[in-house]
């Protein structure tokens, strides 16, 4: 039994050594659901943070057939603006890290979609610091 325990412990230690830094990149994250946001019109969502943070930004949303445009502002500054065509006849949920380099967020994040349909399938954001 001691021999088996020793072998298992060695294997566990070896496994831990094989992970790179990206393995733990989401350990320090804050998630905000759609319910945490205030709706501003039909296609825009806003959230005011309780305290400043420097973080990358991920978004939980669905891609819909046709144009999929999204714009993200942090404290009034544009940090993400992308649009692409989704050429499938169905929607598909995705969680994308859209702002890789951490940005300083003092107070407000605004997420704006190019269509009402896309806004319907917005589920929230994740801030990774």
């Amino acid at each position: 039994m001691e021999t088996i325990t020793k072998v298992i412990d060695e294997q566990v230690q070896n496994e831990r050594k094989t992970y790179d830094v990206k393995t733990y990149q989401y350990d320090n994250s804050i998630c905000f659901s759609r319910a945490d946001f205030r709706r501003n019109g039909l296609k825009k969502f806003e959230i005011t943070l309780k305290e400043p943070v420097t973080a990358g930004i991920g978004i939980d949303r669905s891609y819909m057939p046709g144009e999929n445009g999204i714009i993200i502002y942090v404290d009034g500054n544009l940090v993400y603006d992308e649009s692409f065509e989704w050429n499938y006849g169905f929607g598909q949920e995705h969680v994308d890290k859209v702002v890789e380099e951490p940005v300083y967020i003092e107070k407000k994040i605004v997420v704006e979609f190019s269509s009402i349909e896309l806004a319907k399938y917005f589920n929230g954001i994740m801030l990774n610091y």
Side-chain angles (χ1 to χ4, degrees), residues 10-24:
E10 287 173 2
Q11 291 301 314
V12 168
Q13 290 303 319
N14 288 337
E15 283 292 317
R16 287 185 182 153
K17 291 177 188 174
T18 62
Y19 293 121
D20 64 18
V21 175
K22 289 186 176 186
T23 302
Y24 303 103

Side-chain angles (χ1 to χ4, degrees), residues 13-74:
Q13 290 303 319
N14 288 337
E15 283 292 317
R16 287 185 182 153
K17 291 177 188 174
T18 62
Y19 293 121
D20 64 18
V21 175
K22 289 186 176 186
T23 302
Y24 303 103
Q25 69 178 325
Y26 299 110
D27 284 356
N28 296 316
S29 297
I30 306 167
C31 295
F32 297 99
S33 76
R34 177 190 179 114
D36 296 320
F37 283 77
R38 181 176 64 86
R39 192 109 186 225
N40 182 354
L42 297 175
K43 304 183 294 182
K44 193 183 290 186
F45 297 84
E46 298 179 0
I47 188 167
T48 302
L49 303 182
K50 292 179 182 176
E51 58 187 49
V53 65
T54 299
I57 301 172
I59 186 164
D60 181 356
R61 63 175 170 154
S62 289
Y63 296 165
M64 300 305 296
E67 180 194 355
N68 283 260
I70 183 171
I71 300 171
I72 300 175
Y73 296 94
V74 169

Side-chain angles (χ1 to χ4, degrees), residues 79-124:
V79 296
Y80 184 78
D81 183 356
E82 185 171 321
S83 184
F84 63 90
E85 288 289 321
W86 179 256
N87 296 318
Y88 300 95
F90 56 89
Q92 186 174 19
E93 190 169 340
H94 287 266
V95 178
D96 297 318
K97 189 171 185 183
V98 293
V99 179
E100 292 282 335
E101 291 298 317
V103 294
Y104 179 71
I105 307 164
E106 186 173 344
K107 288 189 181 253
K108 187 186 280 190
I109 301 170
V110 176
V111 180
E112 185 174 357
F113 294 92
S114 60
S115 73
I116 297 168
E117 185 72 12
L118 291 172
K120 286 181 189 177
Y121 295 100
F122 169 61
N123 297 315

